[in-house]
Amino acid sequence: MNLFSPGYRFILMLSLLAMCDKPTEENTTEKNAPPNVVLIVSDDQGYYDLGVLEGSEAITPNLDRLANEGVRLTNFYVTWPACTPSRGSLLSGRYPQRNGVYDMIRNEAPDYGYQYQPEEYQATFERIGGMDTRERLIPAYLKEAGYTSGIFGKWDLGVHKRFLPLAKGFDDFYGFVNTGIDYYTHERYGVPSMYRNNTATEKDKGIYCTDLFKREAVRFLKENHQKPFFLYLPFNAPHSASNLDTRIRDAAQAPEKYKLMYPHLEDSFEPRDKPRYPYRESPEGPVINRHPTKSKKRLEYLASVTAMDEAIGEVLELLDHYQVAENTLVVFFSDNGGSGGGADNRPLRGHKALLFEGGVRVPCLVRFPGRVPEGTVSDEFLTSLEILPTLLNIADIPLPEDIVLDGFDMMPVLSGEKQSPRTSLFWQRRQDKAARLGNWKWVESSRGNGLFNLEEDISESTDLSASRPEKLKELKAHFAQWQTEMEAAAPRGPFRDF
C-alpha cells in the first residue's frame, strides 16, 4: 500500500484514535500512585440483607462480587444507631460525643403530618444545624496527597454553605442535604433537598435518585480516573421515603422492574386503626387511610437494595474498564442497623435506633486486590472509626498530632496479619447507653436492659446481669470512664453548651 495514499492515512488515523480511547496502565494509573478509594454506604440495610448469605432474600450480585473478591466483616460496628451521628463519626474518625454531632439534625413536626412553609423552614434546626466547622473530615486529609474527592448521595451534616461538602474538603457534590427524601421528588416532607455543590437544584426532579447518584459517580470516575480519587457514594437506599403521603411513607421506593424480581411479595396497602396523623391530598379532601402492608414494605425495601446494587455494579465495571481496580480500595457498609419496617437483621436483636446489636452491628465488605485476601470472612472486632486512619495510612499521610482520633489502621487486620487491637466500644443515644468490652455487651435503654456474652449469645437473648454482677459492674465502670473522657474533650457544636 502507498504509505502516503488517502486510504492509508485514514486507516492510520482510526488506529490512533482507537489507541487513545483504550484504557492502558500508562494512561490510567502512574506507577506507585496512591491508591484510590471508593467508600459506599447504604442507608438502614439489614445485617442479613446480602445475597451472598444463605437463605437471604436479597438479590445483590455486585455486593456478592465484593464479598467474593475481598473480605466480609461479620463483627463490624457503627457508633450510633441512626443516620447523622453515624456519618459524622465515619467521616471524622471520632466518636459522635467527641466531634459534637451526637444526635439527629432533623425536625420532628413532620412525624405528625406537619408541612413547613418555605419561610418557616428556613429558621428550623434542620436548616440551620450542622457539624462544627472545626471538624476535619476524610477529604480534607486526602487533599494533602493530591486526591480529588467527590460525594454523590446523602450528606446529612448541615445545609448552610459553611456545613456543605465543599467546605469540608470535597471537590464535587451532588446529592441531598438532609436525613431522608422522597426518591423521586427529592423533597423531604415537601421541602426540596437536592444540591449541586453549594446550590439547591430541582433540575432532576422526577428521576429515581439512585440512578442520579450512579450517574454522577460514573461522571466523576470518567473525569478523575487518571489521578488519585476518593469517591464517597452514600446512597439513601433502602431508607424509607420522607413523604407525608401515608401511601408512600414508611416504605422505601423502587422502580417497577426491580419489584418484579420479588414476585412472592405483594405490592399492597391496608388501613390502620390508629394512623399517626390524618392525611389528605387537599385541605378539604377526605382522609386517606392507606398504608404499606408488611409485604409491601419488604418489597420496596428489597427492590431498592437491588437497584442500588446495580448502580454499584456499574461503578465496579468502570474501575475495571479504566484498569484502576487493582489500585482501588472499595469499602461498603450500612450507616446503621436495618430499619424495623423492611430489613432482615437475623440473627441480631433489635433494629435501627436501638443499641442492641441489630441497631449498631452492620454488614461490611472490603476489597483491595493484593492486600486483602479474596473470598474471606473475618469476625474481628472492627468499627467505622477505623476507616479514616486506614485511608490515611494507605495514602501515606501522617496521623494528625493535634486531633484525637478514636480508631486505628485496620489494614493489618483485613489482610489477616494481625488480630484487631480493638477491645471496647461505647454508645449513647440520649438516655440509652451501651458498652462492649471484649465479647461482653451491656445495654441500658428504654427498650430493654441486659448483660450479654456475644461470643455465646449474638442474639442478646439471655440477660446475665444477675449471674455475673461483677462483669456488669466492670462494663458500667468502663462506660463511666468513657463518658468522663468525652465530657473533657474540646467542645464541639451543635449540641454542646460552650
Side-chain angles (χ1 to χ4, degrees), residues 78-134:
V78 292
T79 58
W80 219 74
C83 312
T84 317
S86 175
R87 292 162 189 270
S89 190
L90 152 69
L91 291 170
S92 68
R94 289 149 60 85
Y95 272 112
Q97 288 75 12
R98 197 187 297 278
N99 70 43
V101 182
Y102 53 81
D103 212 314
M104 303 290 287
I105 301 175
R106 69 186 297 271
N107 296 329
E108 296 183 351
D111 292 347
Y112 307 96
Y114 185 79
Q115 181 170 344
Y116 287 98
Q117 297 302 311
E119 297 80 5
E120 180 185 23
Y121 182 77
Q122 297 302 315
T124 65
F125 181 62
E126 187 173 285
R127 174 70 185 183
I128 65 175
M131 173 172 264
D132 196 297
T133 57
R134 293 168 292 178

Side-chain angles (χ1 to χ4, degrees), residues 77 141 213 291 361 393 401 490:
Y77 289 85
Y141 289 102
F213 305 148
H291 305 262
R361 188 189 289 220
N393 175 63
E401 297 181 358

Side-chain angles (χ1 to χ4, degrees), residues 311-325:
I312 292 170
E314 291 202 28
V315 170
L316 298 180
E317 288 174 6
L318 208 55
L319 296 178
D320 293 336
H321 175 75
Y322 287 121
Q323 298 183 11
V324 296

Side-chain angles (χ1 to χ4, degrees), residues 43 110 171 231 347 367 371 419 450 481 483:
D43 201 341
D171 303 291
L231 170 59
R367 186 186 78 174
R371 302 281 295 274
Q419 292 184 324
Q481 292 172 5
Q483 270 192 321

